[in-house]
Amino acid sequence: MVQLVAGDLNLVNAVILDRMQSQIPLIPELAGHLIAGGGKRMRPMLTLASARLLGYSGNRHHRLAAAVEFIHTATLLHDDVVDGSDLRRGKRTANLIWGNPASVLVGDFLFSRSFELMVEDGSLKVLKILSNASAVIAEGEVNQLTAARRIDIGEERYLDIIGAKTAALFAAACRIAAVVAERPEAEEAALDAYGRNLGIAFQLVDDAIDYVSDAGTMGKDAGDDFREGKATLPVILAYARGSAEDRVFWKAAMEGHRASDEDFAHAVSLIRSSHAVDDTLARARHYGQRAIDALGGFAGGAAKDAMVEAVEFAVARAY
Amino acid sequence: MVQLVAGDLNLVNAVILDRMQSQIPLIPELAGHLIAGGGKRMRPMLTLASARLLGYSGNRHHRLAAAVEFIHTATLLHDDVVDGSDLRRGKRTANLIWGNPASVLVGDFLFSRSFELMVEDGSLKVLKILSNASAVIAEGEVNQLTAARRIDIGEERYLDIIGAKTAALFAAACRIAAVVAERPEAEEAALDAYGRNLGIAFQLVDDAIDYVSDAGTMGKDAGDDFREGKATLPVILAYARGSAEDRVFWKAAMEGHRASDEDFAHAVSLIRSSHAVDDTLARARHYGQRAIDALGGFAGGAAKDAMVEAVEFAVARAY
């Protein structure tokens, strides 16, 4: 997908760099740290690839892809404040460097700026899709916050959370391409389904990696979720399948009473013996396959191939 | 103004209560604490009064006034996180009760919801006005943050800050009434000027009150600005007019080295002897008069009387 949209992505990056400017120097400084700092631009790439799939030949999608990336960046800034994170994409987080207040306010600025970009485009339908996605993301983040440090949330609520906090923006990023290309509702829905399932698969793999990788390969600290008491699917499965003794451990761990390196090593061994990572990845393949099948109605070609490959790559990341 | 718009305001409150709901219980719980907690609804009242002034007979302004209040509420939630405040409108702040993460995320939700309300209304012009105001507010907040604990910011930068963080939304709240009433650009501009000047006057008085009042009458802790190192106009004037010794005191105070009750009492005495509060209030009267004169082109009547009285009341609050 990177090759397919490389030219378009340069134009999107130009919009991003232009529109993150402000007379207040701290804004481009802080925003640039995150925006220039090795992000994969996955969401804007989804808008660009979807537009390519539909044979769209205009340029409205460049500005809208930048709006999508601004929403994502605002979310990351606020996430890192909420989680108290100190490492993102292998770099120190903005909140660590400039403090929580600056991260909150620059996030607000980028969020407002994303709506300004949408208003310039002028499609109320796009505005509706992305304002709704933004509200759903915030709801998902609050849902995740109220689930923090609880071992008993279960797979369904976990799926609600990642469906909102991650998959909603993937879905919207794809769907808006069908709006600018003026395609029928069925194609909008198909692209929405592609993005949504890809987003769920992507987040499942991300959550699995936290129990198999290290900071060098994933750009964040391995065991972060564990130490923050986030009951992601690997933990939910290991808990559901564990002995009474294991469950005592998991409960204490999620509550923050088992945060040492030895505790994390024990967690990884429990997850391995219960096949919880393997099965989290199997779930990811399920959603990945649904994403691929959602593209069934579109004609084959370079764009479709790239979108299928993007799913396969996302699902295979953990191996 | 309260009497003039009481009926409309009930309808706006119904929209607010309806649209702050969510399947995630923490959202209405936290939002309701602030929204139900004694806010004056000044900004939505400005939209309602402006619509009345223009003889608008539709109902679009109810939803939009709710959107304005959501933007304001989101800003307050984030402000209290940024400032670490523990008291607002005489009640404990949301961040004190539910923590900073919840306040950040529920603020994001309300902000997204405000755009959903605007999209439902369907006016791109209103969306442009309010998305721009939101970006300007965020810029103003960052500007204020980077000015924190500095005594040397000067009156011009202070006016830039309050023009952005406070007056921009007052202006937008009034201006959108002219858009829904489909009035000419000149009337939009006049209402914008009314709101902007009223907003500046309002903030000047607020900043003056911090040096003359106590928590009982203003619903926040007297001396908050002083202890947070915010160089508001009373401080800027007292510093500019002070002796070398006074300036040493003010610099140390803004940097956080003079935060005792005795230090605050000394600050109040310096501000009194330099007439800094009196002259801050004189500045407020200047902007208040400009707000009143901005209404000169509109026909007299109950709405205009109420809008003039609102200015007079805002300016007289400190006495």
Side-chain angles (χ1 to χ4, degrees):
Chain A
M1 198 152 77
V2 176
Q3 275 192 311
L4 179 79
V5 301
D8 283 327
L9 194 56
N10 283 335
L11 296 169
V12 173
N13 282 332
V15 177
I16 289 173
L17 285 173
D18 179 47
R19 301 308 295 273
M20 72 183 203
Q21 297 308 315
S22 162
Q23 293 172 305
I24 313 300
L26 178 58
I27 291 177
E29 193 182 347
L30 191 155
H33 172 77
L34 189 54
I35 287 173
K40 295 178 290 295
R41 303 276 195 276
M42 196 173 328
R43 292 152 193 83
M45 282 202 292
L46 288 172
T47 304
L48 299 175
S50 299
R52 189 66 67 95
L53 179 74
L54 300 172
Y56 174 69
S57 59
N59 57 14
R60 288 173 54 195
H61 58 325
H62 298 138
R63 185 146 55 186
L64 294 175
V68 167
E69 185 69 358
F70 278 167
I71 292 175
H72 174 57
T73 307
T75 306
L76 293 186
L77 286 172
H78 288 185
D79 268 5
D80 284 341
V81 169
V82 165
D83 292 343
S85 305
D86 50 17
L87 201 61
R88 151 108 39 208
R89 297 171 182 165
K91 292 174 66 174
R92 295 166 73 215
T93 54
N95 48 303
L96 192 72
I97 300 173
W98 289 280
N100 286 340
S103 284
V104 169
L105 298 175
V106 175
D108 289 349
F109 172 79
L110 292 175
F111 198 60
S112 303
R113 189 45 62 86
S114 84
F115 277 94
E116 289 193 293
L117 285 164
M118 291 177 234
V119 170
E120 287 171 26
D121 174 68
S123 164
L124 280 166
K125 201 164 179 186
V126 167
L127 274 156
K128 181 175 182 175
I129 291 165
L130 286 173
S131 61
N132 179 254
S134 299
V136 167
I137 291 168
E139 280 184 313
E141 300 275 2
V142 177
N143 195 2
Q144 176 172 267
L145 186 69
T146 57
R149 304 220 164 275
R150 288 177 50 186
I151 186 59
D152 62 340
I153 69 164
E155 182 165 350
E156 304 308 315
R157 182 163 175 195
Y158 167 80
L159 286 172
D160 284 347
I161 291 170
I162 69 171
K165 76 165 189 167
T166 304
L169 192 56
F170 276 64
C174 296
R175 181 184 274 264
I176 59 174
V179 176
V180 299
E182 297 177 350
R183 305 303 288 241
E185 172 65 27
E187 295 189 21
E188 265 188 48
L191 283 171
D192 186 294
Y194 167 81
R196 193 171 304 275
N197 284 294
L198 172 58
I200 295 172
F202 178 84
Q203 187 64 54
L204 283 163
V205 174
D206 230 38
D207 290 346
I209 288 176
D210 208 59
Y211 289 93
V212 294
S213 185
D214 59 67
T217 58
M218 67 188 298
K220 63 173 188 174
D221 297 328
D224 267 357
D225 292 343
F226 178 76
R227 290 187 186 86
E228 288 166 15
K230 278 188 190 163
T232 56
L233 192 58
V235 171
I236 291 168
L237 294 180
Y239 177 77
R241 297 168 180 181
S243 66
E245 184 188 350
D246 296 341
R247 291 187 181 195
V248 170
F249 169 80
W250 283 118
K251 187 166 187 299
M254 289 297 102
E255 288 171 355
H257 310 307
R258 299 286 184 275
S260 72
D261 288 350
E262 292 70 31
D263 291 322
F264 180 58
H266 182 57
V268 169
S269 79
L270 289 179
I271 279 176
R272 192 170 296 143
S273 64
S274 62
H275 306 286
V277 160
D278 294 341
D279 286 354
T280 296
L281 295 174
R283 302 281 208 280
R285 286 193 297 276
H286 160 87
Y287 289 102
Q289 190 57 50
R290 283 171 61 173
I292 290 169
D293 286 322
L295 298 180
F298 298 103
K304 186 164 168 175
D305 289 349
M307 290 173 78
V308 169
E309 277 168 25
V311 176
E312 290 167 347
F313 178 75
V315 169
R317 275 184 307 151
Y319 296 103
Chain B
M1 198 153 75
V2 176
Q3 277 192 309
L4 179 80
V5 301
D8 284 327
L9 194 57
N10 283 335
L11 296 168
V12 174
N13 282 332
V15 177
I16 288 173
L17 286 173
D18 179 48
R19 301 308 295 275
M20 73 184 201
Q21 297 308 315
S22 162
Q23 294 172 303
I24 313 301
L26 178 57
I27 290 177
E29 192 181 347
L30 191 155
H33 172 78
L34 189 54
I35 287 173
K40 295 177 290 295
R41 304 277 195 274
M42 196 175 326
R43 293 151 193 83
M45 281 202 291
L46 287 172
T47 304
L48 299 174
S50 299
R52 188 66 67 96
L53 179 74
L54 301 172
Y56 174 68
S57 59
N59 58 13
R60 288 172 55 194
H61 58 327
H62 298 138
R63 184 145 57 188
L64 293 175
V68 167
E69 186 69 0
F70 278 169
I71 292 175
H72 175 56
T73 308
T75 305
L76 292 186
L77 286 172
H78 288 185
D79 268 4
D80 284 340
V81 169
V82 165
D83 292 342
S85 305
D86 50 17
L87 200 61
R88 150 114 32 213
R89 297 170 183 167
K91 293 175 65 174
R92 294 166 73 214
T93 54
N95 49 302
L96 192 72
I97 300 173
W98 290 280
N100 286 340
S103 283
V104 170
L105 297 174
V106 174
D108 289 349
F109 173 79
L110 292 174
F111 198 60
S112 302
R113 188 46 62 84
S114 83
F115 278 93
E116 289 193 291
L117 285 164
M118 291 177 232
V119 170
E120 285 170 28
D121 174 70
S123 164
L124 280 166
K125 200 164 179 186
V126 168
L127 274 155
K128 181 174 181 175
I129 291 164
L130 286 173
S131 61
N132 179 255
S134 298
V136 168
I137 292 167
E139 279 184 313
E141 300 276 0
V142 177
N143 194 3
Q144 177 171 265
L145 185 70
T146 57
R149 303 220 165 275
R150 287 177 50 186
I151 187 60
D152 61 341
I153 68 164
E155 182 165 351
E156 303 309 315
R157 183 163 175 195
Y158 167 80
L159 286 172
D160 283 347
I161 291 171
I162 69 172
K165 75 165 190 168
T166 305
L169 192 57
F170 276 64
C174 296
R175 180 184 274 266
I176 60 174
V179 176
V180 300
E182 299 178 347
R183 306 302 288 239
E185 172 66 27
E187 295 189 21
E188 266 188 47
L191 283 171
D192 186 295
Y194 168 80
R196 193 170 304 276
N197 284 294
L198 172 58
I200 294 172
F202 178 84
Q203 187 64 53
L204 282 163
V205 174
D206 230 40
D207 291 345
I209 287 176
D210 208 59
Y211 289 92
V212 293
S213 185
D214 59 68
T217 57
M218 67 189 299
K220 63 173 189 174
D221 297 328
D224 267 358
D225 293 343
F226 178 75
R227 290 187 186 85
E228 289 165 14
K230 278 187 190 163
T232 55
L233 192 58
V235 172
I236 291 168
L237 294 181
Y239 177 78
R241 298 168 180 182
S243 66
E245 184 189 352
D246 296 341
R247 292 187 180 195
V248 169
F249 169 81
W250 283 117
K251 185 166 188 297
M254 289 298 104
E255 289 169 357
H257 310 307
R258 298 285 183 277
S260 72
D261 288 350
E262 292 71 30
D263 291 321
F264 181 57
H266 183 57
V268 170
S269 79
L270 289 180
I271 279 176
R272 191 170 297 144
S273 64
S274 62
H275 306 285
V277 159
D278 293 341
D279 287 354
T280 296
L281 295 174
R283 302 280 208 279
R285 287 193 297 276
H286 160 88
Y287 289 101
Q289 191 56 51
R290 282 171 61 174
I292 290 168
D293 286 322
L295 298 180
F298 297 103
K304 186 164 168 176
D305 290 348
M307 290 172 78
V308 169
E309 275 167 27
V311 175
E312 290 166 349
F313 178 75
V315 170
R317 276 184 306 151
Y319 297 103

